Amino acid sequence: MNNKKNTTKYKFGSGFYVANIMEIFERLAWYGFFAVSSIYMTTPLSQGGVGFTDIQRGAIQGIIPFFLYLLPVLTGALGDKLGYRRMFIISFSIMTPCYFLLGHVKSFGWFFIVLSGIALGAACFKPIVVGTIAHSTNDKNRGLGFGIFYTMVNIGGFLGPLIAGSMRAISWDAVFMMSAFWIAINFIPVLIFYRDPPSLQTTSTHLKSVITQAQTVLGNARFALLVFVSIALFMAAGVGWLSYLHSVFCILTWLGINVLWHFVGNENSESWWRQKVRISNARFAIYLLILSLFWSVYNQLFYTLPLFIRDFADTRDLVNFIAMFGQGAIEFFAYVDKAAIGQALHELSITLASGGAVDFEALRLEWVHLKVNVPLEDLKLLVADMAVLSDPVNGLQSIHIAQFTEQLLAYRQINPEYLINLDFAAIVILQILVSYLCQKFNPMYVLACGLVITASAFILLASSNHIVSGILVTTVILLIALGEMFTSPKSQEYVAFIAPKEQTAVYMGYYFVSMALGFLFAGFLSGWSYSELALKEGKPELMWGVFSLIALVACISLLIFQSHVTKHQTEIEGSTNYS
């Protein structure tokens, strides 16, 4: 009898394993691009990137993931109507060509459109693969099943940047071709092995009904209109159509209009636009807003930190450590294109020979794209030596270019995506242990602890020198990973706890709204702060100070929220006992 129970506990069915395999390949594709997206978008066209400004980069990284995490509310319902297998095929058919094209479009508009295609395909994939896992598990093995699935997510997240980094050493095009290849592989399991779960029953529910049901969790249509117009005005500032000052003015004006609209409205009107603004679950809405602050700062790990490592970190201490494992390890983790450096030296020598002035900080920031970060004092000495040897017509001789190239190799740096990858490695190794140790504590206090850890990581960067060491960067990444291990699982656990049983799926869907808002805020905040504070002002410590402050504000807000909820529950219990 016990053997039969154990067999049931560990039996998942073929669909479960096929879904996990497809999840790994999809994550390989996404994180292969996502981990290097900030670097690619800000790399000059001459070096294979697209040369976007940080404001443009932030707009893309804010808006695209925002919709990626909102659309599953609709695509999940569409999957219930069309069937899972058909949705998988649609998803892969969209993502495969879009990943390939993303490496070939160079204008902001086309890049935005093609990346939107990837987001649409991913939004079709996400709810369907999770739905497959849900249908393939039961009450006895659901925890184990989703634990395996979460591990597959992080394995894909860990391997994706490693492979993308090696592809980047070949060319940027290779990164996108590899992402397209990973998605294309998924056609094999979905066409040959995958079948819709037997327990899946396609529904005839209209999408309008799904939207209405989901919307009423937080408020009525008036409340939805108020929120989405405000977000649209915020996005307009992010893409540069409005200044942030004008955006705030427009949002305040829109809020004022809605206040007047509310007072003349009729609560019982059948027309939605005549109704008053109604918030169905204010506490849940506040919780999601606070949680979005966490995702706003956590996503700086992918949006801002890779750029900071490239521009303001000196990871030679880590290169020296890796050298213990041989030259092959150095070439993999800190690859430098010698031909590209030689070309840069030749162009600089022509400028020096013609008497042109050199902006040393600008030159340093230009050469970090070649994966060498030369301290200013060393750079001045090197340029002075080059000026002596440069010919007015031909610049430096080949032998001198080779010598200076070897000098610059001493300043080679670890690829940022490899360091960011430590986050996934830490989660794969430690998440189960951290979750086990935290399971007995109140979710809110664990969340607050995670926010404090995240804030401390950014405080370390804010209190550091202008150029930070590789070991400090490593410490910061591991602290951010630890903060995420505390916060992410417990934040989902709290939503599952407060959700009515008949609306669990809808509430969990709204959990992703907090992530969507987090991505939106993170992108715009990253674009503005890196452009204005880190580069123009030359004070990246102020930028990290802003992020740490946001994390601490989120922590304090969460504790106030918990205190208010506890007080409210106590009052209800007291009233019930008195009655």
Side-chain angles (χ1 to χ4, degrees), residues 54-367:
D54 280 295
I55 298 297
Q56 290 175 318
R57 169 191 62 80
I60 288 174
Q61 291 177 325
I63 294 174
I64 300 297
F66 172 76
F67 286 108
L68 191 160
Y69 280 93
L70 280 186
L71 285 175
V73 175
L74 301 179
T75 55
L78 196 60
D80 289 335
K81 289 174 67 69
L82 299 179
Y84 285 5
R85 185 168 183 263
R86 192 174 297 175
M87 283 296 288
F88 275 133
I89 294 172
I90 291 172
S91 170
F92 303 148
S93 298
I94 295 172
M95 285 194 285
T96 301
C98 284
Y99 270 119
F100 178 79
L101 289 173
L102 197 63
H104 292 79
V105 293
K106 301 299 180 182
S107 69
F108 177 82
W110 278 111
F111 191 91
F112 189 96
I113 291 171
V114 175
L115 188 56
S116 297
I118 293 174
L120 176 61
C124 291
F125 177 84
K126 277 182 176 297
I128 306 307
V129 71
V130 174
T132 300
I133 302 299
H135 280 283
S136 303
T137 56
N138 53 50
D139 291 340
K140 295 179 180 178
N141 62 15
R142 185 161 291 119
L144 176 62
F146 274 93
I148 293 172
F149 176 72
Y150 187 66
T151 303
M152 297 304 107
V153 171
N154 283 287
I155 287 175
F158 175 71
L159 294 176
L162 285 177
I163 298 172
S166 62
M167 291 297 102
R168 185 155 81 97
I170 300 173
S171 71
W172 277 112
D173 288 345
V175 173
F176 298 99
M177 287 190 286
M178 183 56 70
S179 288
F181 173 72
W182 294 132
I183 298 297
I185 286 179
N186 270 339
F187 280 109
I188 298 174
V190 76
L191 292 175
I192 299 176
F193 303 108
Y194 186 83
R195 296 295 180 269
D196 282 349
S199 57
L200 174 67
Q201 296 182 0
T202 55
T203 66
S204 57
T205 305
H206 294 293
L207 289 180
K208 182 179 179 181
S209 300
V210 174
I211 295 173
T212 302
Q213 180 187 7
Q215 159 211 302
T216 53
V217 171
L218 291 183
N220 60 0
R222 281 286 317 282
F223 178 68
L225 180 66
L226 170 64
V227 172
F228 276 101
V229 171
S230 299
I231 290 174
L233 291 170
F234 180 67
M235 287 182 179
V239 298
W241 294 345
L242 295 172
S243 69
Y244 278 103
L245 184 61
H246 288 149
S247 176
V248 170
F249 175 77
C250 290
I251 291 173
L252 291 176
T253 302
W254 173 242
L255 292 176
I257 291 172
N258 274 270
V259 169
L260 296 176
W261 192 355
H262 176 80
F263 282 117
V264 299
N266 184 351
E267 183 65 38
N268 299 318
S269 175
E270 294 182 0
S271 301
W272 69 268
W273 57 273
R274 290 181 176 178
Q275 297 174 359
K276 295 178 179 291
V277 174
R278 186 177 69 253
I279 302 176
S280 303
N281 195 332
R283 285 201 298 273
F284 186 43
I286 293 170
Y287 172 74
L288 293 178
L289 186 60
I290 295 172
L291 201 58
S292 71
L293 296 179
F294 164 72
W295 292 116
S296 298
V297 292
Y298 171 74
N299 281 315
Q300 303 310 322
L301 174 70
F302 303 104
Y303 285 178
T304 307
L305 194 55
L307 300 178
F308 178 80
I309 294 171
R310 182 193 66 188
D311 296 341
F312 296 101
D314 186 355
T315 59
R316 282 181 292 170
D317 53 341
L318 299 181
V319 174
N320 293 334
F321 172 76
I322 291 172
M324 296 170 56
F325 301 95
Q327 187 62 29
I330 294 178
E331 291 299 328
F332 180 83
F333 288 103
Y335 173 79
V336 174
D337 187 343
K338 295 181 181 179
I341 287 184
Q343 180 62 30
L345 288 169
H346 174 72
E347 293 173 358
L348 177 60
S349 68
I350 296 296
T351 300
L352 293 172
S354 62
V358 176
D359 183 333
F360 291 102
E361 178 63 12
L363 180 63
R364 185 188 72 81
L365 290 173
E366 179 183 339
W367 280 6

Side-chain angles (χ1 to χ4, degrees), residues 564-577:
H564 175 76
V565 169
T566 302
K567 181 180 179 182
H568 180 72
Q569 290 175 342
T570 302
E571 290 175 352
I572 292 177
E573 291 172 0
S575 175
T576 303
N577 292 335

